[in-house]
Amino acid sequence: MFKKTTVALSAALAAGLAFAASAETVIKVGHGAAEAFHMHRALLKFEELVEAGSGGEIDVQIFPSSQMGPDREMIEGVQTGVLEMAIPPSSFFAGWDPAFAVIELPYMYASKDIAFGVLDSDAGNEMLARVENQGLVGLGWLELGIRNVTNNVRPVAVPADLDGVKLRTMKVPAHVATFESLGANPTPMNFGEVYSALQQGVIDGQENPLAIITSQRFYEVQKYLSTTGHVFAVYMPVISKPFFEGLSAEHQQLVRDSMTASRAYQAELVAAEESAQLEEIRAAGVEVLELTAEQRQAFAEKTESVRLQYREEVGAQAYDTWVAAVAAASGS
């Protein structure tokens, strides 16, 4: 695994060496999304702020579209010092620490605002701190989005409509368990393989936020979209702990503040684009079914067993702390 990652890194890094020679410190950042996606554009803001704030002493180099390998390999690259930073979905950290699975359990939050209220609470800060045991420093949260289902079999209005649908999921056990409970045939697959697998009929469908469905042009190879809103997902930017601790205190704070500012900028991008994304998908000929709150409730009830199962997987204390934070953020 490391050999593949190293080859990918070497090829991707070659272009940045000349400029890097003029900066004292280089921060290479890898992620899996397309350049059109709002998270990548938020990282461009991060790059701008860090480079300007450091007076050119830090050179930030961003490598999108899985140039540095799949998400798990990028995390491992940061752990081993091959890569300084990665922006993976938070759920991938459950492979090292089961507590992270609680963030993306199905129908955990009634709204995006509630989700961010939890992530910005003491519970969210405690979760960030847990990655220090993995040789990483968590820099906060960036939005991935509210995940929805697309497929080529039939419109999905009720859980039974997913019966037998071969659906790509991330390589995240909680996501797999969610779609098993809904009767689908979940098929974990690296993100970079999804478009061609849909095109060739290897899978029937996939599930992602609208911004990814549009930026990756999945609508070109899908017939139906249902706004199931089953998971709210976030990225967790992480930086190598030894590398970060080697920065001056001033530069450490600059990196943290720049990530906070880039998240605010991302929120502006998301707000400006969300309304147009469904129309873009419709314009491509996809049949869009916007589920009502009552329809989504049927999916939430069907996946209750997954949430209860993960209380054991996550650990009762971590799970109950998170659920209590959700209740607090919900005002209940």
Side-chain angles (χ1 to χ4, degrees):
M1 183 178 290
F2 288 134
K3 183 179 290 185
K4 289 183 180 178
T5 304
T6 303
V7 170
L9 292 174
S10 298
L13 300 179
L17 292 178
F19 182 75
S22 64
E24 292 181 11
T25 303
V26 176
I27 302 178
K28 302 179 294 294
V29 186
H31 70 80
E35 292 182 48
F37 188 51
H38 50 66
M39 182 267 283
H40 175 77
R41 286 178 287 149
L43 287 180
L44 294 179
K45 174 64 71 174
F46 172 79
E47 176 183 10
E48 172 190 327
L49 292 172
V50 170
E51 292 184 349
S54 68
E57 292 180 8
I58 300 177
D59 170 27
V60 177
Q61 300 175 2
I62 302 171
F63 299 91
S65 303
S66 301
Q67 291 179 49
M68 298 299 194
D71 287 295
R72 184 178 176 89
E73 291 185 17
M74 282 191 280
I75 296 170
E76 291 169 345
V78 178
Q79 289 173 325
T80 58
V82 178
L83 182 64
E84 284 76 41
M85 277 185 65
I87 320 291
S90 66
S91 50
F92 275 87
F93 293 96
W96 289 270
D97 181 346
F100 281 92
V102 75
I103 299 174
E104 292 186 17
L105 289 179
Y107 299 100
M108 177 61 76
Y109 319 100
S111 71
K112 182 165 65 175
D113 287 344
I114 290 172
F116 272 123
V118 176
L119 292 164
D120 292 335
S121 72
D122 289 343
N125 292 335
E126 288 169 12
M127 196 69 74
L128 285 174
R130 295 178 79 106
V131 296
E132 295 196 15
N133 296 327
Q134 302 167 29
L136 306 167
V137 173
L139 296 177
W141 314 97
L142 291 174
E143 180 171 342
L144 202 167
I146 301 170
R147 303 182 78 87
N148 300 290
V149 168
T150 68
N151 81 101
N152 286 323
V153 179
R154 65 181 75 91
V156 175
V158 296
D161 291 331
L162 281 169
D163 284 353
V165 174
K166 192 171 185 180
L167 196 75
R168 180 268 174 180
T169 68
M170 293 196 298
K171 295 181 178 180
V172 175
H175 289 202
V176 173
T178 294
F179 284 101
E180 285 177 342
S181 74
L182 292 169
N185 179 10
T187 306
M189 181 182 293
N190 287 334
F191 183 66
E193 302 169 9
V194 177
Y195 186 98
S196 61
L198 291 169
Q199 189 175 43
Q200 295 164 17
V202 174
I203 51 176
D204 300 317
Q206 60 84 52
E207 46 85 45
N208 261 303
L210 297 179
I212 285 186
I213 293 169
T214 53
S215 65
Q216 299 294 141
R217 306 179 71 87
F218 289 150
Y219 54 71
E220 295 176 340
V221 286
Q222 294 280 260
K223 295 178 182 177
Y224 308 105
L225 164 70
S226 293
T227 58
T228 49
H230 49 277
V231 165
F232 178 70
V234 288
Y235 295 102
M236 194 173 81
V238 290
I239 189 166
S240 161
K241 187 176 180 180
F243 173 83
F244 188 72
E245 291 177 345
L247 297 176
S248 67
E250 180 184 3
H251 283 171
Q252 287 182 11
Q253 194 60 46
L254 173 64
V255 167
R256 289 188 181 278
D257 291 345
S258 297
M259 187 58 71
T260 299
S262 69
R263 172 177 149 185
Y265 177 64
Q266 182 192 32
E268 294 175 7
L269 294 175
V270 171
E273 295 170 356
E274 275 187 331
S275 61
Q277 286 161 352
L278 276 179
E279 294 312 311
E280 181 179 349
I281 293 167
R282 281 195 179 97
V286 175
E287 182 179 326
V288 174
L289 182 59
E290 296 188 64
L291 300 190
T292 65
E294 291 75 18
Q295 285 175 308
R296 281 194 292 272
Q297 183 60 31
F299 287 85
E301 291 171 1
K302 192 78 172 176
T303 57
E304 182 179 7
S305 61
V306 178
R307 294 188 293 279
L308 295 176
Q309 168 195 338
Y310 268 83
R311 186 175 185 271
E312 297 180 14
E313 299 274 348
V314 166
Q317 181 176 358
Y319 183 93
D320 292 346
T321 297
W322 200 260
V323 170
V326 172
S330 304
S332 59

